[in-house]
Amino acid sequence: MPKIVIVGGKLQGSEAAYLGRKAGFEIVLIDLDPQAPAKNLCSRFICGDVLSDTPQITAELDSADLILPTMENDTVLKGLTELAEKKGYCLAFDWDAYQISSSKRRSDRLFAEHQLPCPKYWPGGSLPYIAKPDSESGSHGVRYFKRQEDLDAFLKDGGERFIIQEFVEGPSYSVEIIGKPGNYRTYEITQIFVDDVYDCNLAATLHTIEPEKKQRIEELAVEIAERIGLKGIMDLEVIDCHGEIKILEIDARLPSQTAIVVYHASGMNYIKELYDLFTSGGFIGEQINHGKCASLTHYQFEDGVWSSHGEHIMVEGGQLDYTEGLCSEAAVISDYLPGRPVWRGTFINWADTFEELDAKEAKMRKELEEKFGEGRVKTYAELVDCAETEAGGTERG
């Protein structure tokens, strides 16, 4: 059984462990946090600094078929890159591409140089605006400005260090691309829904995007990957603004949320694809697509009420595990324990059609309400209505 060492046990590490097990790999997790959320999802857990050169960690790295970083600590990522070059480790990570995508200034400069479509930058465009830190992940530090006086005050208080763009409206989509120059694959496109702080709380394949827009998104992903010389995986997020596809951001790392959705919708497993790419130099299996609809949602349960929140909640509680018995059909990863007053869960559903998926989710919500009280969540129809007017700040971790 091939062994993959995952470095970093938060949300991305949890999802990598989930997919790695689905692909039949032995999964070893290394993390400094003894209570890493992904600890129980792996075959084996080692608490420690992956760069510490301790015998136990060195032995795991030496015997790994693939090392997969699932964090955004530049010191660790650069150190792993140098260590892999020195010792010949197979590392599924592209430091150079990540350096571009992890800085919004660098990636936005790339988009501007090649005249790729993006929301207009301040002082261009018009209110409302959204401000994003240059290097923070996901929705961390994102600010929304509807009034000019609020934006002016923000700018006077150091806001010019932020990336400021017009807040565009429309549904947001994500697509992943894996490969190396001249040989890339794009995968099923997912639609992204966000909570009130612009953090993704639902990712789904609904097959509602028009073929020409789907093709345009895939073409943008390939063009960007070729321009940065990507060797590995990259996520591209876009928004459909009144019929025009505009780029929101790129991330040259394993994404969260969409990877599991794509797996259950199409049958393509990003961990298997990365394993093949980095250990064999190219893709081995044929690309398939089961054409299913799938969804992944995060819920928090507290005081007899449960509601949908962004992905950040999944690393704010206890250790995650595969949870049986909460729903009759949904796959669940959660920190649920009987009697725990507050707990969180990721709920995954898939079906052959949108109508069947909607029915499965309705059944799941009913089961959760019978067991855990009132559910304050939106239906798909309500989410789509919100997405058409509130998706301009979508970002994921």
Side-chain angles (χ1 to χ4, degrees):
M1 178 186 295
K3 183 174 82 173
I4 295 180
V5 172
I6 293 174
V7 182
K10 290 187 177 181
L11 186 61
Q12 291 156 297
S14 299
E15 298 193 12
Y18 177 91
L19 291 172
R21 288 181 60 167
K22 290 290 185 182
F25 295 126
E26 177 188 2
I27 303 297
V28 177
L29 172 65
I30 300 176
D31 196 295
L32 271 173
D33 182 3
Q35 303 301 321
K39 177 179 180 179
N40 292 333
L41 298 171
C42 301
S43 310
R44 189 161 63 258
F45 172 67
I46 299 172
C47 182
D49 180 354
V50 71
L51 302 178
S52 64
D53 199 30
T54 59
Q56 186 182 23
I57 290 176
T58 298
E60 293 292 353
L61 296 178
D62 286 346
S63 61
D65 294 288
L66 185 74
I67 300 168
L68 177 63
T70 53
M71 98 295 285
E72 296 167 83
N73 183 311
D74 280 10
T75 300
V76 175
L77 291 171
K78 185 176 182 181
L80 272 175
T81 300
E82 294 172 348
L83 186 63
E85 291 174 354
K86 177 182 177 181
K87 303 195 70 173
Y89 293 151
C90 189
L91 180 70
F93 180 70
D94 185 336
W95 171 255
D96 293 332
Y98 176 77
Q99 284 296 99
I100 296 172
S101 74
S102 63
S103 166
K104 292 181 176 63
R105 293 192 187 280
R106 294 192 194 103
S107 57
D108 287 355
R109 190 179 306 121
L110 172 77
F111 305 151
E113 287 176 356
H114 298 287
Q115 298 181 323
L116 299 175
C118 300
K120 293 180 181 178
Y121 296 90
W122 175 86
S126 59
L127 289 165
Y129 287 99
I130 194 162
K132 310 171 187 178
D134 176 45
S135 58
E136 288 290 337
S137 171
S139 62
H140 294 296
V142 173
R143 300 283 301 276
Y144 172 81
F145 299 97
K146 191 173 183 179
R147 302 189 309 165
Q148 186 64 45
E149 51 266 40
D150 294 334
L151 177 60
D152 291 341
F154 176 72
L155 291 169
K156 289 180 180 178
D157 194 33
E160 290 187 350
R161 298 191 302 269
F162 282 60
I163 306 297
I164 304 175
Q165 291 175 289
E166 60 180 347
F167 184 90
V168 292
E169 299 177 347
S172 293
Y173 299 99
S174 173
V175 66
E176 279 77 49
I177 183 168
I178 296 176
K180 57 185 179 180
N183 185 21
Y184 290 111
R185 281 180 173 177
T186 58
Y187 300 84
E188 187 64 57
I189 291 177
T190 53
Q191 186 167 357
I192 304 300
F193 302 90
V194 298
D195 63 9
D196 55 3
V197 294
Y198 312 113
D199 196 13
C200 179
N201 63 344
L202 169 63
T205 57
L206 304 179
H207 304 293
T208 56
I209 187 169
E210 297 90 337
E212 62 274 12
K213 292 179 181 176
K214 179 177 183 292
Q215 181 179 349
R216 174 59 173 155
I217 294 170
E218 292 171 342
E219 289 172 347
L220 285 171
V222 173
E223 179 177 355
I224 294 170
E226 291 284 6
R227 292 196 181 281
I228 67 175
L230 175 72
K231 296 179 288 294
I233 186 169
M234 182 186 77
D235 169 72
L236 167 66
E237 291 189 34
V238 302
I239 190 164
D240 181 358
C241 180
H242 306 298
E244 182 182 359
I245 299 298
K246 295 188 176 183
I247 299 169
L248 291 178
E249 70 168 6
I250 58 173
D251 277 309
R253 57 176 174 81
L254 187 74
S256 57
Q257 302 173 286
T258 54
I260 290 178
V261 174
V262 169
Y263 168 73
H264 285 289
S266 69
M268 296 303 295
N269 188 319
Y270 293 164
I271 305 304
K272 176 63 165 60
E273 292 282 271
L274 288 170
Y275 176 83
D276 290 345
L277 178 70
F278 281 92
T279 60
S280 301
F283 301 110
I284 295 178
E286 292 186 7
Q287 187 164 5
I288 60 174
N289 191 342
H290 296 323
K292 295 182 181 294
C293 292
S295 66
L296 180 151
T297 312
H298 305 297
Y299 294 139
Q300 179 165 293
F301 297 75
E302 183 175 10
D303 297 330
V305 174
W306 52 279
S307 53
S308 178
H309 297 269
E311 62 183 0
H312 64 277
I313 67 168
M314 297 306 299
V315 294
E316 293 176 350
Q319 293 171 359
L320 302 174
D321 209 339
Y322 302 96
T323 310
E324 305 291 341
L326 294 184
C327 303
S328 59
E329 297 183 55
V332 183
I333 301 172
S334 79
D335 64 351
Y336 171 78
L337 289 174
R340 175 171 278 175
V342 182
W343 61 278
R344 305 142 187 88
T346 296
F347 294 77
I348 308 154
N349 286 281
W350 58 96
D352 289 334
T353 67
F354 170 77
E355 291 75 20
E356 292 174 351
L357 176 65
D358 197 33
K360 285 185 70 172
E361 292 203 338
K363 179 181 179 181
M364 176 190 71
R365 290 192 293 268
K366 183 177 180 181
E367 291 174 342
L368 292 176
E369 287 183 341
E370 290 174 350
K371 294 179 180 180
F372 302 107
E374 180 186 2
R376 297 174 181 172
V377 297
K378 291 183 174 68
T379 65
Y380 270 125
E382 292 170 326
L383 285 167
V384 170
D385 286 342
C386 291
E388 291 177 349
T389 58
E390 297 179 2
T394 300
E395 292 196 47
R396 293 186 299 118

